[in-house]
């Protein structure tokens, strides 16, 4: 944009500009440099054509104003807001997954930035779309006979979802009043809780979300990593799935034995790959084990892989086309921060067999041989996740794709988005005093003490 800068510095009274083929990923302020220009027709603003992808979620009104100025420029908000939770960090009580381990990668607040966490972007918009309602039961659902969720010490009269409830929105500013005509005429809602008058609820608007486990196997990074990422999107339509990834269904691999030297699929049933740290080939590591199966995928041209976790003496192997285990710095296993030919887990501290692990694909790899745990419903073995390969086009190598730049790639490693439906939640006033943690009824002020398991 050096030419634009020169034109901006010009002393000409009128400046005209048209730029085509724009494809930029910038902040909205990038458009400020075009403020002094007009379109070639002499009217309005500079004629900008193409796409501007915003790097961070920006106020919707400001974006709409920019779109009005530059109607031929497609200005896109980020598709999601990404939150990071570091499970290796605990609060003063010794618990992880608390407020102390949360970071917002979009507005750079929270743990890793040394500040308090502040919600933003799509999360703020989801909050904005959340309102309080007075809900009145119109038609009760049918009673559920033999409800399996009812325990002897906790009798609950459960009903099915055939019932009908009417919701009336309350004002955001003061939920004692109805939202309709709140600014001109405050109409008070009956929140007495008397039978037939209804109860208060909060309803969260529809949104999309997905979670990503970033657990690394030993030999893949120099230090222990166990992070959880959650992507939230307030968009009406499902966010796009990245074109950088390839998804491989484990079920498809298990159903198709390898039929040629270059095919993917089941290598050997009722077997696992033994962890030894020795050089050699895949055949040297195969051993009988009824709890596992071994499959193979082609990883040529990819830099990262998500695959099902395996521990307890088994491992997974990167090999060349002949099945020889990839060596890095003269060994198949390294802990110096580069990808290694052998990946394994020493424990299930942050997950169980079948849950996702993410590893760097070392240079020279053609195949990845994976020990896949069989799904056991009555044990801690999870349903094996599908395999995801990432091209990492923007990165020189797989090791360059790490936790420091996770915002640029980590969300791609989970392709499945889930839509949260409209969700009514009972809105009861909570309070804590010196002796009892409890819930106050919004109607009669009486407090019900919580059991220890409900904190």
């Amino acid at each position: 944009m050096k030419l634009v800068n020169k034109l901006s510095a010009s002393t000409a009274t009128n400046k005209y500009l048209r730029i085509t083929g724009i494809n930029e990923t910038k902040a909205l302020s990038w458009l400020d440099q075009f403020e002094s220009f007009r379109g070639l027709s002499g009217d309005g603003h500079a004629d900008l054509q193409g796409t501007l992808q915003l790097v961070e979620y920006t106020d919707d009104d400001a974006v709409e104003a920019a779109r009005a100025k530059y109607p031929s420029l497609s200005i896109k908000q980020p598709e999601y807001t990404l939150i990071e939770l570091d499970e290796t960090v605990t609060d003063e009580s010794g618990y992880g997954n608390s407020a102390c381990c949360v970071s917002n990668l979009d507005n750079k607040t929270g743990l890793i930035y040394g500040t308090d966490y502040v919600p933003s972007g799509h999360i703020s918009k989801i909050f904005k779309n959340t309102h309080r309602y007075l809900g009145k039961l119109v038609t009760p659902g049918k009673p559920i006979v033999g409800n399996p969720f009812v325990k002897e010490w906790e009798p609950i009269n459960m009903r099915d979802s055939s019932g009908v409830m009417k919701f009336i929105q309350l004002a955001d500013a003061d939920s004692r009043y109805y939202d309709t005509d709140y600014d001109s005429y405050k109409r008070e809602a009956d929140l007495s809780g008397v039978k037939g008058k209804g109860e208060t609820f909060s309803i969260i608007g529809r949104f999309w979300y997905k979670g990503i486990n970033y657990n690394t196997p030993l030999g893949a990074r120099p230090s222990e990593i166990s992070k959880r990422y959650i992507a939230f999107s307030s968009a009406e339509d499902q966010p796009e799935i990245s074109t950088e990834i390839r998804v491989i269904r484990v079920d498809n691999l298990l159903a198709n034995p390898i039929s040629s030297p270059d095919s993917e699929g089941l290598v050997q049933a009722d077997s696992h790959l033994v962890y030894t740290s020795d050089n050699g080939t895949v055949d040297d590591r195969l051993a009988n084990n009824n709890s596992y199966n071994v499959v193979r995928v082609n990883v040529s041209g990819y830099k990262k892989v998500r695959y099902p976790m395996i521990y307890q003496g088994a491992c997974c192997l990167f090999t060349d086309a002949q099945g020889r285990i990839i060596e890095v710095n003269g060994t198949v296993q390294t802990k110096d921060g580069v990808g290694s030919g052998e990946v394994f887990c020493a424990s299930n501290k942050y997950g169980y067999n079948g849950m996702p692990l993410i590893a760097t694909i070392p240079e020279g790899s053609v195949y990845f041989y994976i020990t896949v745990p069989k799904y056991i419903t009555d044990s801690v073995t999870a349903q094996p996740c599908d395999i995801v390969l990432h091209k990492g086009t923007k990165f020189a190598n797989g090791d360059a794709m790490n936790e420091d730049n996770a915002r640029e790639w980590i969300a791609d490693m989970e392709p499945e988005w889930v839509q949260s439906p409209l969700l009514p939640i009972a809105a009861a006033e909570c309070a804590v005093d010196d002796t009892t943690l409890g819930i106050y009824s919004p109607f009669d002020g009486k407090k019900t003490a919580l059991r220890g398991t409900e904190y």
Side-chain angles (χ1 to χ4, degrees), residues 173-234:
D174 190 339
S175 58
R176 294 175 301 173
Y177 302 94
Y178 291 112
D179 180 67
T180 303
D181 299 325
Y182 172 77
D183 293 329
S184 58
Y185 174 72
K186 291 180 174 58
R187 193 159 53 94
E188 191 168 357
D190 186 345
L191 305 181
S192 64
V194 175
K195 185 176 181 179
K197 298 296 184 180
E199 296 185 26
T200 54
F201 293 83
S202 290
I203 296 183
I204 302 174
R206 291 184 178 89
F207 63 92
W208 297 90
Y209 67 94
K210 63 179 178 179
I212 307 96
N213 293 331
Y214 186 17
N215 293 328
T216 56
L218 295 177
R221 297 294 297 165
S223 59
E224 182 178 61
I225 296 176
S226 182
K227 295 186 178 183
R228 305 286 186 257
Y229 293 88
I230 310 173
F232 294 95
S233 176
S234 59

Side-chain angles (χ1 to χ4, degrees), residues 134-141 159-160 162-167 195-199 201:
L134 179 62
K136 296 184 178 182
L137 186 63
V138 178
T139 305
R159 294 179 179 272
D160 64 18
S162 63
V164 177
M165 179 172 277
K166 180 180 181 181
F167 290 99
K195 185 176 181 179
K197 298 296 184 180
E199 296 185 26
F201 293 83

Side-chain angles (χ1 to χ4, degrees), residues 20 28 37 44 76 97 110 129 137 191-192 220 253 265 269 341 409 412 418:
T20 61
L28 190 65
F37 294 95
K76 297 182 177 180
N97 284 338
N129 292 335
L137 186 63
L191 305 181
S192 64
L253 294 172
W409 64 274
D412 298 344
V418 178

Side-chain angles (χ1 to χ4, degrees), residues 57-61 63-64 67 77-79 81 119-131 203-207 232-236:
Y57 199 95
T58 308
D59 178 74
D60 288 327
D61 292 339
V63 173
E64 288 304 319
R67 287 169 176 162
Q77 292 272 31
E79 287 197 302
T81 295
S120 67
H122 286 275
I123 295 176
S124 295
K125 193 167 183 179
I126 292 169
F127 287 156
K128 187 177 180 180
N129 292 335
T130 299
H131 307 285
I203 296 183
I204 302 174
R206 291 184 178 89
F207 63 92
F232 294 95
S233 176
S234 59
E236 291 186 11

